[in-house]
Amino acid sequence: MMRYYSWKTELLRLSVPLLAMAGACVVFDLGVLPLLVLAILICGRVLQQLQRLSDWLYSGTGEEPPEAIGMWGQVFDVIYQMQRDSSQDSDRLQAMIDYLHSSFASMSDAVVMLDPQGNIEWCNSSAHDLLGLRQEGDAGRQLVNLLRSPAFLRYFEAERYQAPLEMNSPVNGMINLSISVSFFGKRNRLLFARDVTRTHRLEQMRKDFVANVSHELRTPLTVINGYLETFSEHGGENPRWDRAVNQMLQQSRRMNLLIQDLMLLSRLESVPKLADESVIRLRPLMEMIREESETAASGSRNIVIECDDNIAINGNANELRSAFSNLAVNAARYTSENDKIILRWYQDDYHAYFEVEDTGIGIEPQYIPRLTERFYRVDQSRSLDTGGTGLGLAIVKHVLIRHRAELRIRSVPNTGSVFSCVFPKSAAVKVA
């Protein structure tokens, strides 16, 4: 174990010769010259040790420290130990960096490391295939000067990286990329770009299939529905046949509703931009939705409207009516007779809200995240009885996305639920 020398020990070691010389000068009447010479020699020794320390540090070759005693030896040994520890840490960090580089280099996704100023520090070979970046030639260059897509520039400079950006590859416009960026270290950034062309094609095939099948089924189903309605109106001779015809007519109408919802959902997905915007007063719309909800419910419901008539909303009237109506009709279907349903429209300092609150059966918390999935049903048997298509909340979700809004759900089992459509405050319009 290394011995520890304090400044007191070093002071004593330097003071003893000076005191001895001072005593000798007094005893032998030598004057102060010998004492001065000794003091100069001691200072020279200290400067010599400083020079040795400076030369050793300046050489930077990792050599062992010079031999020294006392506090100087302690300083040399401590610095040498710190150098060794730093070198080992540096080697470990470099090994980790090399490991990460080799791991990223083998990935099929493009990986780009950026410094805090947005300059490229390193990229793998896939970055050349997907983004057109060269590992050697582009190091140190600004990424935004190489990827000049306006969508990417807005995404990169906004620094809101919670969701990935989807864009076409600058190398090949037929390749769809999903780009995600994350911060690490001292505002360094790590960019990943993944080829999602296959996923895009499969999704487009699904959309086309749903749209085409829905369209092709609509005409024959209309014919079947027409004949069944005719048979139902002119029946009465055979009760068994009448019951069968009525059941077929009921299922035919339900299938027709399903096709209409599928076509609406397909249109919402295929036309992402909102069109035909207008200022919509909410009270007339809510009165209409109340009538639809009362018709859809089996038995009476206490439906109350709470509307701030000084606020309208800017959006597509047909889409918003479909979304709000789906929420209200769902509340009517999943509540019992004489239960209360509140249709509410208001705003606060940050948002505008359309809410449907009910005192129905409520929803278990584990089911809430999946409610907006297509055809998802919490209770399959009950959903079949209510006659829903399983697409209502998916339609609500897509309509709200097109209006830059979101759906929030709060529910307590056996107490009730609140479905809130949260719009940006800019969507609310003051009216007289």
Side-chain angles (χ1 to χ4, degrees), residues 176-229:
N176 300 108
L177 299 178
S178 176
I179 295 179
S180 57
V181 181
S182 58
F183 285 106
F184 73 97
K186 297 181 178 179
R187 289 192 64 79
N188 294 63
R189 281 176 272 199
L190 187 63
L191 180 148
F192 287 92
R194 173 169 295 179
D195 184 350
V196 292
T197 307
R198 175 178 169 79
T199 304
H200 266 255
R201 289 175 180 171
L202 291 174
E203 180 66 13
Q204 189 59 47
M205 289 173 61
R206 181 192 65 77
K207 293 178 181 178
D208 293 342
F209 174 78
V210 170
N212 292 334
V213 169
S214 301
H215 182 75
E216 292 299 326
L217 286 176
R218 189 174 185 179
T219 299
L221 190 59
T222 301
V223 174
I224 293 171
N225 194 58
Y227 278 115
L228 289 173
E229 287 179 350

Side-chain angles (χ1 to χ4, degrees), residues 134-180:
R134 297 168 300 169
Q135 185 172 348
E136 299 297 333
D138 292 333
R141 300 181 64 183
Q142 281 274 325
L143 179 65
V144 293
N145 291 336
L146 301 174
L147 301 181
R148 304 191 63 84
S149 165
F152 176 77
L153 291 176
R154 289 193 297 270
Y155 176 77
F156 187 80
E157 293 175 355
E159 297 187 358
R160 293 190 293 268
Y161 303 138
Q162 292 84 358
L165 168 71
E166 294 192 357
M167 58 175 281
N168 292 331
S169 167
V171 178
N172 185 348
M174 300 298 292
I175 297 177
N176 300 108
L177 299 178
S178 176
I179 295 179
S180 57

Side-chain angles (χ1 to χ4, degrees), residues 18-138:
L18 290 173
L19 292 173
M21 179 59 71
C25 290
V26 171
V27 172
F28 299 104
D29 194 20
L30 299 176
V32 297
L33 183 61
L35 182 63
L36 181 61
V37 171
L38 180 61
I40 292 174
L41 291 175
I42 291 174
C43 290
R45 178 62 178 171
V46 171
L47 292 176
Q48 181 187 23
Q49 295 288 10
L50 283 173
Q51 183 65 51
R52 295 176 68 195
L53 175 62
S54 177
D55 293 342
W56 175 58
L57 293 176
Y58 187 76
S59 65
T61 57
E63 297 179 355
E64 292 191 1
E67 292 293 334
I69 61 173
M71 184 172 285
W72 284 105
Q74 177 178 294
V75 170
F76 283 131
D77 292 340
V78 170
I79 293 176
Y80 181 60
Q81 186 62 42
M82 292 173 65
Q83 284 182 336
R84 291 183 60 184
D85 293 343
S86 176
S87 176
Q88 291 174 357
D89 291 341
S90 208
D91 291 342
R92 282 195 297 269
L93 288 174
Q94 187 60 48
M96 291 177 63
I97 292 173
D98 294 340
Y99 175 75
L100 289 174
H101 281 181
S102 62
S103 301
F104 289 150
S106 63
M107 293 177 63
S108 59
D109 298 343
V111 181
V112 184
M113 292 182 176
L114 305 167
D115 66 15
Q117 288 72 43
N119 300 313
I120 299 174
E121 290 187 333
W122 181 87
C123 61
N124 64 354
S125 58
S126 297
H128 179 265
D129 300 332
L130 298 178
L131 300 174
L133 304 178
R134 297 168 300 169
Q135 185 172 348
E136 299 297 333
D138 292 333

